[in-house]
Amino acid sequence: MVEWTEFERTTIQDIFSKMNYDVVGQQSLARCLIVYPWTQRYFGNFGNLYNAAAIMGNPMVAAHGRVVLHGLDKAVKNMDNIKAAYAELSVLHSEKLHVDPDNFRLLGDCLTVVVAAQLGAAFTPEVQAAFQKFLAVVISSLQRQYH
Amino acid sequence: MSLTAKDRDVVKSFWGKISSKADAIGQEALGRMLAVYPQTKIYFPQWSDYSLGSAKVKKHGKNVMAAITDAVGKMDDLIGGLSSLSNLHAKVHLDPVNFKILTHNILVTLAVNFPADFTAEVHVAVDKFLAALSAALADKYRLTHHSGASRASANRGTSNDKAKVSDAINKISNNRKGFFFMFFSRSI
């Protein structure tokens, strides 16, 4: 059972309530595919991923980025039991999608960079700590059903 | 993952844009690291204040960033250029996993302060550069294969060592023109 401070809860709710899911979703997934190109292995049917410009302009990347971000909503709404809330998603990523769990961390790092760029100075070290703790819990929950 | 000519150009060009703020970036990156990854504090046990604004964080952050800026000019030979810094980090037993952690916090700091310039292309080039830098910083680790050995007793013969031995043998063979010494020097 993860313990959250008031500050952490407020920070997470605040960040996600103000977030532009379309922009942040697209930016984060695109950055992940550009900075860590081996993650492209899961998107063989996404068409043109040949260079950064193509990835940034790819509509399937944008659409899927939005899907992934909305997946985080589940965790934002169930902060006291993310593990249970993510059981099905974990099975999906392990059994059906066969995603290397290290990729969750890579996408998480890209999401952190994008949110940092959006929030600027408001993304203080304390806010960053809360955000990364949240992502760590999500990632751990996503990995639980791998065997 | 080697640095292409394009990677080097992108890094140099971006560093030109940020160099006037280098001190502040170093301070912020270090402050973020200590706040978000508190286990990194173990390397600074004498400090009393790990906050972003503290004098120690400011000074050390500046030093780290200065060394990184210096490395931008040494991208053609990071291993050679960072040799003594690598020895230093090995001597203080800094777990190399922390290079990745500081790298991440440098990237976050760059995103916060230069959101328009820190594009995805710059991000990948800088990440590659910092990864290569980290590998160079870890290069002098595990040179000896038993604990407690000093840096000087490295049991790996360097080309420098071989040259010294060869020189010494040559000097002996020049003074004593005996067949035995000349034969011995040629076998090096």
Side-chain angles (χ1 to χ4, degrees):
Chain A
M1 181 59 187
V2 181
E3 299 286 339
W4 302 100
T5 65
E6 253 332 289
F7 173 80
E8 286 164 349
R9 282 181 199 275
T10 312
T11 298
I12 298 305
Q13 299 302 322
D14 203 46
I15 290 177
F16 281 89
S17 69
K18 294 184 177 138
M19 190 185 289
N20 182 330
Y21 281 64
D22 288 353
V23 167
V24 174
Q26 181 265 333
Q27 288 279 319
S28 305
L29 185 59
R31 241 175 229 250
C32 190
L33 297 170
I34 292 166
V35 180
Y36 308 110
W38 51 94
T39 56
Q40 291 169 25
R41 78 191 304 273
Y42 307 107
F43 304 104
N45 62 332
F46 269 34
N48 189 354
L49 298 177
Y50 297 134
N51 53 42
I55 292 171
M56 274 294 172
N58 187 311
M60 289 180 85
V61 171
H64 196 68
R66 202 179 307 126
V67 164
V68 169
L69 257 248
H70 281 294
L72 282 177
D73 274 345
K74 233 192 235 289
V76 176
K77 293 190 170 95
N78 293 283
M79 277 179 76
D80 287 316
N81 204 346
I82 296 178
K83 197 165 71 183
Y86 266 52
E88 274 178 38
L89 274 172
S90 181
V91 170
L92 171 76
H93 283 78
S94 155
E95 304 290 304
K96 184 155 174 257
L97 304 175
H98 306 298
V99 178
D100 186 331
D102 191 57
N103 293 181
F104 303 146
R105 180 184 60 82
L106 298 179
L107 180 57
D109 284 352
C110 286
L111 177 58
T112 303
V113 165
V114 169
V115 169
Q118 295 272 311
L119 297 182
F123 197 65
T124 63
E126 293 71 33
V127 168
Q128 182 186 344
F131 189 69
Q132 290 200 210
K133 177 177 167 179
F134 172 74
L135 288 180
V137 174
V138 166
I139 287 167
S140 164
S141 306
L142 264 180
Q143 277 186 233
R144 276 193 74 78
Q145 304 301 329
Y146 277 66
H147 62 91
Chain B
M1 289 179 249
S2 36
L3 297 173
T4 63
K6 176 150 186 245
D7 290 330
R8 289 168 213 229
D9 286 343
V10 169
V11 170
K12 284 189 173 138
S13 162
F14 180 71
W15 232 260
K17 289 182 188 157
I18 70 169
S19 58
S20 61
K21 299 231 167 80
D23 292 356
I25 292 168
Q27 174 182 0
E28 189 181 325
L30 193 67
R32 284 183 184 278
M33 183 185 80
L34 295 164
V36 181
Y37 301 85
Q39 72 273 17
T40 56
K41 291 188 219 170
I42 63 154
Y43 295 104
F44 310 102
Q46 320 287 12
W47 295 4
S48 51
D49 184 359
Y50 297 98
S51 67
L52 200 151
S54 82
K56 288 264 167 52
V57 171
K58 188 173 174 182
K59 179 165 179 251
H60 194 65
K62 180 181 166 180
N63 289 345
V64 169
M65 201 61 183
I68 295 175
T69 298
D70 191 55
V72 172
K74 294 177 176 167
M75 279 191 282
D76 292 336
D77 180 20
L78 284 171
I79 289 182
L82 289 164
S83 181
S84 56
L85 272 175
S86 182
N87 278 323
L88 172 77
H89 286 80
K91 202 167 123 191
V92 300
H93 302 296
L94 182 78
D95 192 319
V97 74
N98 295 292
F99 298 143
K100 268 199 195 175
I101 292 175
L102 181 59
T103 292
H104 171 70
N105 285 287
I106 291 172
L107 298 176
V108 169
T109 302
L110 294 174
V112 164
N113 290 283
F114 303 93
D117 292 308
F118 194 62
T119 60
E121 265 158 328
V122 169
H123 182 162
V124 60
V126 172
D127 191 50
K128 281 179 76 176
F129 163 61
L130 292 175
L133 195 158
S134 302
L137 269 182
D139 189 68
K140 302 294 176 288
Y141 280 52
R142 297 196 281 192
L143 283 190
T144 57
H145 299 286
H146 40 100
S147 63
S150 69
R151 295 283 106 207
S153 65
N155 60 11
R156 184 181 80 180
T158 62
S159 56
N160 201 26
D161 294 335
K162 288 190 187 118
K164 280 183 185 157
V165 169
S166 188
D167 265 355
I169 301 282
N170 282 335
K171 278 191 183 125
I172 296 168
S173 74
N174 287 337
N175 287 335
R176 316 261 250 126
K177 296 202 164 106
F179 169 82
F180 173 76
F181 286 100
M182 281 160 67
F183 175 80
F184 190 54
S185 72
R186 268 190 213 112
S187 67
I188 300 291

